[in-house]
């Protein structure tokens, strides 16, 4: 990956964003819930619907019990006759793709939207359908099982510790190539997918996060992560993951983690990473030169990771 | 209003060339196969078509286990006790059920595979792993 | 004589999961109306499009909608077909009977169309432009299949 | 958009069912072929974009399981899922990634194993309050739209059958194609089983098991390798209102496709598509759809599509050969089909299309179409932008 000739990625501003309150069951429909986040994000970013050049949405069909789950939100994200890219992964991966679209010169302003409703079906049972159908799913292995194995290695617990309470929510963030003065900008991104079969990788580390963070550091010119960040906003669903996060990102032990409150009090599937990006941007806005690290994770025991470095201007 | 809507559909997934050999060996011979990579010598277990470490296609299958050591274990509420077990002769760990008294499960414990009486060429042809010496 | 094919193993897994789908306010009101044999559409204040299904937001104009208007259960057939292929109904896992008629019906009072079953007892009467009317179940539950199908009216 | 190019392509031999391979193994076949074609190894790939409609095979986040087939372990990977445009949208995502400066070389892989699931049922798992009770998958949707299109444009079953014959005869020159029918006749199409009036069995695309991959390079990387590449000159995506009853999405209007084409043509300086393109690979899930796309893509005026097929304008020896590969009508692993369009268009520009090569092709069109009102339009040229 290291290529000295590669240009530093163009800075992308986080113009604004909004999220719905995470509740155990949001009785609104998915479009109603998403509309609140989108309208709030446009308002926060001070942009109009017509200022948005493209939309990246994140959703997972089986989680929503709906084929092509993005069609539920096409209208409320303002994607009618616009370029919409639908990514089936955590919202942070969607945000990173929006950064790539802007850096490629394809679009100026991109709206990123993620939604998830854990209330719709037993979430961990659904995750069995994300496991290898030949070797793992027939055993009843789900994301919780793999997280439990990881917790056993890290914390010597017999089962997974306290879990973030999963609910319903949506988040929307507006990213742009035009950087208003004082805006938080994304200066580096990285994402990574680790081995799927839990016995194939060293579950006692988040090596995928190490790679993802390494890519983001290289782009952002972060040389010493131990002192680089005023704040880190990790996507940790279980208490044992914080240690994995700190080790893999090599951030300083004194770097404040999740001053926003983090995920433990409530989060929604697929939405977590995007809310971390928003929290990270808000944490440093108005403090020029300050940096924050935002993190999204998905899959069993952090198989997928995505990192964005946000810097205040 | 809330509508409770069910989706009910059967799906059928190919086990592939290596997967078929692995599952038939469980069913017909009660043997566990690993896949040995010709490039990097890693033995991946259970046998799968791509080396778990260097990702090269693998064709060389060898018997591993049936005994090994517990690398990690967990109890998933409502679903049972699961462990990662590094079988003798393998470089990677198999994920499967641990059967028997829960309080015996320690990392590093020696365990051995117990095969199901009725076998159908599936991963459940292994009933689970028990502490060595506890086999029926 | 053919050589024996090598055995290929596959793994069968049954999806059987129930989701809790939230209707949202517009659909809730609409289906409450259906339970009384009544149809209504939401109108966009900008472009005047009268929407079925009713939805909270007009995607053409990016505005919220809250103005309801009545919709007739009679309309015009703008497209039709008879489907001869049976597919598994994902709600039950059972095959759905075939053949069956399907149509796009522009109901009087709506600017979008409703896709629904057609009565195919007299297929010669099915034509684009034909007037059709909903045939309702005796007992209404507030669901779209409270309408059994549409039939051509003289 | 920053310059990027397709420098390699690979496909499986598509078939009704591939019970001999897992999804990751199927993917590996296409990826290995693409790497060989590009002259690269897996280590040269910086990122992977995947494309698949997971509900068709009943999976959630299948890339978690299958990415190792694309050498994705330890690399940046995610998946795009928008029905028929999954593949073209994944290619466009690959273009943007390679153009972003973050990656030199991006692998795009589309795959589908319809034989493992229930595609038509999967397509019918739509809004549970509105049309799930009546939804009938692709067939019913297309048949409805077609009945309206025929009435409006004066297209007959014979016109559509000519498209079906052209596709399967072209496919006979393509070793990867699923349906290869060199001797198919119009009569055969008209006499094939009626699926949903007026759609006969041979008017529809098959459901295929298959995978396809392209290697996308940043402009600098492609230039360093030498001039031979398929350069991306335009890429446009448009989505439209979501319900089947939302009027502007059907064959007579195809608002999303028309809007995407207008954007892409403006980006690439295409003013007379019939003349400017040397070859087109368009996503035609049904014979009638190809005729509607001729109009939406401005190969002709509305109502003139039947003349194009009658006069052979879009056949292999016509002015603009459409779907030399045999198209979606001959091969349809949904998640891969859009990648196949881009791969086939690129092969033509690279001069590596074998028996289906259009001599001297310099400008190519590739499109994607999803039944829920999604359209992608991509313009490629053998010359750098």
């Amino acid at each position: 990956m290291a290529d000295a000739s590669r240009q530093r990625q163009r800075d992308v501003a986080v113009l604004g964003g909004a999220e719905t309150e995470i509740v155990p069951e949001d009785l609104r429909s998915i479009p109603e819930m998403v509309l609140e986040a989108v309208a709030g994000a446009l308002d926060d970013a001070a942009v109009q619907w017509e200022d948005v050049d493209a939309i990246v949405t994140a959703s997972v069909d089986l989680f929503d019990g709906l084929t092509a789950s993005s069609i539920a939100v096409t209208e409320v994200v303002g994607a009618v006759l616009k370029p919409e890219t639908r990514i089936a992964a955590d919202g942070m991966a969607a945000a990173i793709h929006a950064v790539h679209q802007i850096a490629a010169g394809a679009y100026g302003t991109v709206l990123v939207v993620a939604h998830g409703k854990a209330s719709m079906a037993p979430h961990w049972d659904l995750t069995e359908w994300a496991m290898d159908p030949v070797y793992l799913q027939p055993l009843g292995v789900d994301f919780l099982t793999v997280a439990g194995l990881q917790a056993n290695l890290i914390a010597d617990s017999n089962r997974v510790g306290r879990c973030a309470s999963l609910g319903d929510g949506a988040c929307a963030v507006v990213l742009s190539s035009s950087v208003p003065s004082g805006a938080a900008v994304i200066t580096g991104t990285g994402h990574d997918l680790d081995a799927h079969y839990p016995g194939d990788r060293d579950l006692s580390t988040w090596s995928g996060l190490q790679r993802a963070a390494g890519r983001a550091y290289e782009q952002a010119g972060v040389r010493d992560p131990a002192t680089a960040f005023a704040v880190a906003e990790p996507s940790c669903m279980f208490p044992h993951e914080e240690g994995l996060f700190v080790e893999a990102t090599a951030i300083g032990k004194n770097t404040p983690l999740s001053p926003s409150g983090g995920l433990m009090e409530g989060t929604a599937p697929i939405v977590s990473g995007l809310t971390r990006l928003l929290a990270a941007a808000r944490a440093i806005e108005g403090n020029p030169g300050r940096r924050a690290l935002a993190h999204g994770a998905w899959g069993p025991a952090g198989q997928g990771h995505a990192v964005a470095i946000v810097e205040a201007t | 209003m809330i509508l409770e809507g069910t989706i009910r559909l059967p799906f059928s997934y190919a086990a592939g060339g290596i997967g078929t050999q692995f599952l038939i060996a469980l069913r017909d011979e009660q043997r566990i196969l690993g896949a040995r990579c010709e490039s990097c010598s890693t033995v991946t277990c259970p046998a799968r078509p791509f080396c778990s470490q260097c990702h090269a296609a693998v064709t060389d299958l060898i018997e591993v286990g049936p005994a090994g050591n517990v690398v990690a274990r967990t109890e998933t509420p409502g679903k049972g006790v699961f462990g990662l077990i590094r079988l003798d002769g393998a470089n990677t760990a198999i994920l499967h059920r641990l059967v028997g008294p829960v309080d015996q499960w320690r990392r590093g414990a020696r365990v051995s595979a117990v095969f199901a009486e009725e076998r159908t060429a599936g991963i459940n042809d292994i009933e689970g792993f028990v502490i060595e010496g506890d086999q029926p | 004589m053919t050589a024996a094919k090598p055995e290929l193993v596959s793994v069968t897994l049954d999806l059987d999961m129930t989701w809790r789908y939230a209707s949202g306010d517009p659909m809730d009101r609409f289906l409450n109306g259906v339970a009384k044999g009544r149809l209504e559409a939401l109108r966009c204040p900008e472009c005047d499009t009268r929407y079925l299904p009713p939805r909270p937001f007009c995607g053409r104009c990016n505005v919220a909608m809250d103005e309801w208007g009545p919709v007739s259960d009679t309309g015009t057939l703008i497209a039709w077909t008879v489907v001869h292929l049976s597919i598994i109904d994902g709600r039950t896992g059972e095959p759905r009977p075939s053949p069956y008629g399907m149509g796009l019906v522009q109901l009087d009072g709506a600017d979008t169309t409703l896709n629904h079953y057609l009565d195919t007892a007299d297929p010669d009467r099915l034509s684009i432009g034909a007037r059709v009317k909903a045939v309702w179940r005796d007992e209404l539950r507030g669901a779209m299949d409270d309408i059994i199908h549409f039939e051509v009216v003289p | 958009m920053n310059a990027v190019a397709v420098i390699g392509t690979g496909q499986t031999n598509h078939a009704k069912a591939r019970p001999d391979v897992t999804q990751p193994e199927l993917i590996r076949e296409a990826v290995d072929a693409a790497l060989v074609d590009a002259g690269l190894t897996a280590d040269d790939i910086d990122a992977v974009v995947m494309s698949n409609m997971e509900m068709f095979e009943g999976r959630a986040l299948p890339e978690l399981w299958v990415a190792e087939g694309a050498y994705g372990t330890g690399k940046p990977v995610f998946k795009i899922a928008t029905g028929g445009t999954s593949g073209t949208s994944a290619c466009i995502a690959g273009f943007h990634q390679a153009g972003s400066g973050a990656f030199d070389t991006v692998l795009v892989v589309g795959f589908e194993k319809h034989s493992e699931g229930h595609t038509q049922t999967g397509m019918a798992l739509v809004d549970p309050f509105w049309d799930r009770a009546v939804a009938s998958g692709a067939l019913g949707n297309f048949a409805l739209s077609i009945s309206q299109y025929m009435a409006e444009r004066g297209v007959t079953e014979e016109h559509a059958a000519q498209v079906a014959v052209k596709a399967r005869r072209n496919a006979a020159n393509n070793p990867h194609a699923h349906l290869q029918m060199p001797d198919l006749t119009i009569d055969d199409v008209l006499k094939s089983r009626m699926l949903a009036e007026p759609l006969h069995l041979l008017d529809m695309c098959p459901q295929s098991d298959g995978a396809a991959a392209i290697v996308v390079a940043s402009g600098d990387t492609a230039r360093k390798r030498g001039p031979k590449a398929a350069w991306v000159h335009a890429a446009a995506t448009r989505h439209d209102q979501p319900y089947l009853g939302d009027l502007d999405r059907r064959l007579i209007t195809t608002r999303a496709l028309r809007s995407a084409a207008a954007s892409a043509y403006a980006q690439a300086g295409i003013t007379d598509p019939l003349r400017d393109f040397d070859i087109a690979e368009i996503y035609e899930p049904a014979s009638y759809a190809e005729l509607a796309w001729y109009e939406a893509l401005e190969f002709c005026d509305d109502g003139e599509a039947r003349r194009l097929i009658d006069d052979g304008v879009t056949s292999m020896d016509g002015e603009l050969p459409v779907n030399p590969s045999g198209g979606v009508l001959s091969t349809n692993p949904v998640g891969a089909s859009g990648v196949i369009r881009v791969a086939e268009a690129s092969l033509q520009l690279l001069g590596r299309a074998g028996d289906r090569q259009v001599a001297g092709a310099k400008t190519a069109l590739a499109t994607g179409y999803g039944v829920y009102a999604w359209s992608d339009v991509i313009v490629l040229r053998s010359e750098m932008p």
Side-chain angles (χ1 to χ4, degrees):
Chain A
M1 283 298 298
D3 181 348
S5 69
R6 187 172 293 150
Q7 284 184 335
R8 187 186 145 115
Q9 189 167 291
R10 186 199 302 203
D11 289 351
V12 171
V14 181
L15 291 187
E19 57 196 296
T20 63
E21 187 190 348
I22 304 286
V23 292
E25 181 166 25
D26 195 323
L27 293 172
R28 294 177 295 177
S29 66
I30 288 170
E32 286 171 338
M33 190 176 78
V34 168
L35 181 58
E36 183 199 328
V38 170
L42 296 180
D43 192 42
D44 188 53
V47 300
Q48 307 294 315
W49 291 94
E50 51 270 24
D51 299 329
V52 175
D53 299 316
I55 302 98
V56 183
T57 59
S59 62
V60 175
D61 286 4
L62 206 72
F63 292 177
D64 289 355
L66 195 62
T67 293
S69 53
S70 60
I71 67 164
V73 302
T74 303
E75 293 186 290
V76 294
V77 302
V80 172
L81 293 187
K82 282 196 179 170
E84 180 193 356
T85 305
R86 183 277 180 110
I87 289 173
D90 180 79
M92 178 67 95
I96 290 178
H97 189 62
V99 169
H100 288 150
Q101 291 180 329
I102 293 167
Y107 310 119
T109 299
V110 182
L111 172 69
V112 187
V113 184
H115 74 262
K117 270 194 146 191
S119 69
M120 290 185 75
H123 184 71
W124 301 116
D125 290 348
L126 279 180
T127 66
E128 289 183 24
W129 293 86
M131 303 305 297
D132 183 324
V134 177
Y135 294 93
L136 294 169
Q137 192 184 348
L139 295 169
V141 170
D142 61 17
F143 288 5
L144 209 54
T145 307
V146 188
L149 291 166
Q150 189 162 53
N152 181 241
L153 288 167
I154 304 299
D156 203 27
S157 59
N158 187 40
R159 59 171 75 174
V160 70
R162 197 164 68 93
C163 173
S165 78
L166 275 174
D168 298 354
C171 182
V173 173
V174 183
L175 304 178
S176 181
S177 59
S178 67
V179 182
S181 68
V185 296
I186 298 173
T187 54
T189 62
H191 62 295
D192 187 272
L193 198 66
D194 210 332
H196 176 64
Y197 194 84
D200 287 358
R201 61 179 169 119
D202 178 1
L203 274 183
S204 67
T205 68
W206 268 358
S207 54
L209 175 56
Q210 196 179 344
R211 287 186 293 271
R215 290 172 191 132
Y217 295 165
E218 187 194 324
Q219 279 179 10
V222 170
R223 288 193 178 75
D224 181 12
T227 58
F229 301 107
V231 165
E233 286 284 353
S235 280
C236 293
M237 296 282 291
F238 307 100
H240 72 267
E241 292 182 341
E242 284 200 355
L244 290 167
F245 173 82
V246 171
E247 188 192 324
T249 54
I251 59 168
K253 293 228 177 341
N254 297 324
T255 308
L257 280 188
S258 307
S260 68
L263 303 185
M264 293 306 286
E265 298 313 315
T267 189
I270 299 303
V271 178
S272 314
L274 201 56
T275 65
R276 299 307 84 205
L277 176 62
L278 193 54
R282 284 179 173 161
I284 52 149
E285 264 167 356
N287 293 292
R290 287 213 169 182
R291 278 200 189 106
L293 186 155
H295 166 236
W298 66 100
Q303 191 192 338
H305 289 281
V307 169
I309 311 296
V310 193
E311 213 164 312
T313 58
Chain B
M1 66 171 283
I2 297 286
L3 170 73
E4 296 209 346
T6 300
I7 298 178
R8 198 168 282 147
L9 277 175
F11 295 92
S12 186
Y13 305 99
I18 299 286
T20 289
Q21 290 182 67
F22 174 82
L23 296 174
I24 286 178
L26 293 184
R27 181 190 66 191
D28 295 350
E29 301 167 27
Q30 302 181 49
R31 292 197 308 152
I32 302 172
L33 299 181
R36 183 166 52 199
C37 177
E38 287 177 20
S39 303
C40 74
S41 301
T42 300
V43 176
T44 297
C45 176
R48 274 158 295 135
F50 309 121
C51 173
S52 61
Q53 303 309 306
C54 78
H55 318 300
V58 181
T59 54
D60 185 16
L61 300 186
I62 59 166
E63 185 176 3
V64 297
N69 295 87
V70 174
V71 177
R73 53 106 175 82
T74 190
E75 183 180 359
T76 309
K79 292 186 177 171
V81 180
F82 295 91
L84 281 174
I85 302 124
R86 181 162 304 147
L87 295 175
D88 299 343
N91 299 106
T92 69
I94 185 170
L95 198 169
H96 216 290
R97 271 186 298 274
L98 299 177
V99 289
V102 175
D103 58 8
Q104 290 186 14
W105 298 114
R106 297 279 179 275
R107 295 211 301 269
R110 283 293 288 176
V111 294
S112 191
V114 176
F115 288 86
E117 281 189 20
E118 279 189 29
R119 294 182 302 278
T120 59
I123 191 68
N124 283 304
D125 286 356
I126 301 174
E127 194 175 304
F129 287 80
V130 298
I131 294 282
E132 227 176 12
D134 277 5
Q135 287 97 322
Chain C
M1 198 178 100
T2 53
K5 276 191 182 169
E7 180 182 1
L8 286 170
V9 172
S10 62
V11 176
T12 298
L13 297 166
D14 294 315
L15 178 65
D16 185 353
M17 191 76 71
T18 300
W19 280 261
R20 291 170 59 79
Y21 299 96
S23 65
D25 283 342
M27 186 57 84
D28 189 42
R29 170 170 165 159
F30 176 80
L31 292 175
N32 276 322
V34 169
K36 300 179 182 89
R38 188 178 71 213
L39 303 173
E40 48 184 349
L42 266 174
R43 190 181 72 85
C44 172
E46 301 265 329
C47 68
D48 280 336
T49 302
R50 295 163 300 176
Y51 276 102
L52 284 179
R55 58 197 89 176
F57 191 76
C58 173
R60 296 175 179 218
C61 308
N62 300 322
V63 295
M65 299 189 284
D66 59 6
E67 192 183 315
W68 292 86
V71 176
S72 168
D73 70 350
T74 300
T76 304
L77 195 58
I78 67 157
W80 66 274
T81 186
V82 178
V83 180
H84 297 270
L85 194 76
S86 174
I87 68 166
I88 292 177
D89 189 328
R91 301 172 304 165
T92 59
E94 301 296 325
R96 186 186 281 172
S98 75
Y100 56 94
M102 271 194 78
L104 285 174
V105 180
Q106 182 139 29
L107 295 171
D108 299 342
D111 294 304
T112 57
T113 66
L114 170 66
N115 56 312
H116 214 298
Y117 293 127
L118 295 176
D119 177 17
T120 53
D122 188 358
D124 288 345
R125 296 176 67 191
L126 294 174
S127 64
I128 292 176
R131 295 288 291 167
V132 293
K133 185 172 174 40
V135 176
W136 295 80
R137 283 181 205 286
D138 293 336
E139 285 186 27
L140 303 181
R141 302 161 302 131
M144 286 313 289
D145 47 10
D146 285 350
I147 295 173
I148 300 168
H149 54 224
F150 283 80
E151 64 178 14
V152 176
V153 292
Chain D
M1 189 181 84
N2 297 342
V4 298
V6 178
I7 59 168
T9 78
Q11 297 176 49
T12 57
N13 286 340
H14 312 291
K16 183 172 197 268
R18 287 291 307 273
D20 56 318
V21 288
T22 61
Q23 292 182 31
E25 288 171 317
L26 186 75
I27 289 164
R28 182 61 69 91
E29 288 181 14
V31 168
D32 279 344
L35 290 174
V36 167
D37 191 46
L40 298 176
T41 69
D43 291 342
D44 298 319
I45 299 299
D46 295 326
V48 182
V49 182
M50 308 201 81
S51 150
N52 162 264
M53 278 304 282
E54 51 199 76
M55 278 293 255
F56 293 170
E57 290 94 3
R59 306 309 304 166
L61 301 163
E63 65 282 5
L64 297 175
W65 160 49
V66 304
E68 67 173 344
Y71 301 98
T73 309
K75 289 184 174 160
V77 180
F78 64 64
K79 181 175 65 77
I80 304 260
T82 45
T85 55
S86 299
T88 39
S89 285
C91 289
I92 293 172
F95 301 158
H96 291 157
Q97 288 197 356
S100 74
F103 308 116
D104 294 329
T105 313
V106 179
L107 178 70
V108 181
V109 195
F111 65 99
E112 208 75 59
K113 266 195 104 184
H114 292 286
S115 67
E116 299 192 341
H118 302 273
T119 303
Q120 296 305 320
T121 302
M123 292 189 67
L125 292 172
V126 289
D127 187 337
F129 295 99
W130 184 247
D131 46 8
R132 187 171 292 190
V134 299
S136 60
L139 276 179
N141 293 356
F142 275 119
L144 286 173
S145 200
I146 287 164
S147 71
Q148 203 185 16
Y149 178 74
M150 290 175 82
E152 185 92 4
R153 298 284 204 266
V155 161
T156 64
E157 291 190 27
E158 286 76 13
H159 291 119
Q162 288 182 63
V163 174
V165 168
K166 171 178 75 69
R168 278 52 174 267
R169 288 189 176 181
N170 285 357
N173 294 322
N174 176 5
H176 300 290
H178 172 180
L179 298 179
Q180 305 188 21
M181 302 173 159
D183 303 319
L184 188 70
T185 65
I186 291 171
D187 213 34
D188 293 337
V189 177
L190 296 177
K191 283 183 175 153
S192 65
R193 190 157 67 94
M194 184 62 82
L195 297 179
E197 284 149 42
L199 271 176
H200 295 268
L201 176 69
L202 289 169
D203 281 314
M204 276 305 285
C205 58
Q207 292 176 11
S208 318
D209 283 4
I214 63 166
V215 179
V216 185
S218 68
D220 284 348
T221 306
R223 266 189 291 270
K224 275 182 214 155
R225 292 166 46 93
K228 199 123 177 136
W231 292 87
V232 178
H233 283 247
T237 297
R238 290 291 183 274
H239 288 186
D240 206 343
Q241 291 181 289
Y243 287 95
L244 185 61
D246 292 345
L247 289 171
D248 288 324
R249 46 178 289 172
R250 289 202 295 281
L251 292 183
I252 53 165
T253 43
T254 57
R255 192 167 73 151
L257 184 58
R258 285 170 194 261
S259 175
S263 169
Y265 293 174
Q267 289 173 45
I270 300 290
T271 54
D272 182 350
L274 193 65
R275 288 197 181 172
D276 292 349
F277 291 118
D278 301 311
I279 171 261
E281 280 286 342
I282 65 178
Y283 195 116
E284 75 328 358
S287 55
Y288 294 87
E290 179 162 320
L291 297 169
W293 298 174
Y294 291 170
E295 297 170 357
L297 294 166
E298 299 174 39
F299 297 169
C300 61
D301 291 334
D302 287 354
E304 292 290 307
R306 54 188 179 171
R307 181 184 58 78
L308 259 54
I309 196 73
D310 273 340
D311 296 352
V313 174
T314 55
S315 56
M316 277 308 280
D317 52 4
E319 186 176 356
L320 174 57
V322 172
N323 293 356
S325 67
V328 177
L329 280 171
S330 305
T331 302
N332 192 27
V334 169
S337 290
V339 181
I340 294 171
R341 303 280 74 69
V342 176
E344 287 287 334
S346 301
L347 276 176
Q348 294 284 348
L349 301 179
L350 293 163
R352 300 204 281 258
D355 290 343
R356 58 196 187 283
Q357 179 71 45
V358 173
K362 288 188 171 60
T363 304
L365 171 70
T367 72
Y369 167 81
V371 73
Y372 286 103
W374 299 316
S375 292
D376 286 325
V377 175
I378 295 164
V379 179
L380 301 150
R381 287 195 176 100
S382 51
E383 301 214 336
M384 285 181 218

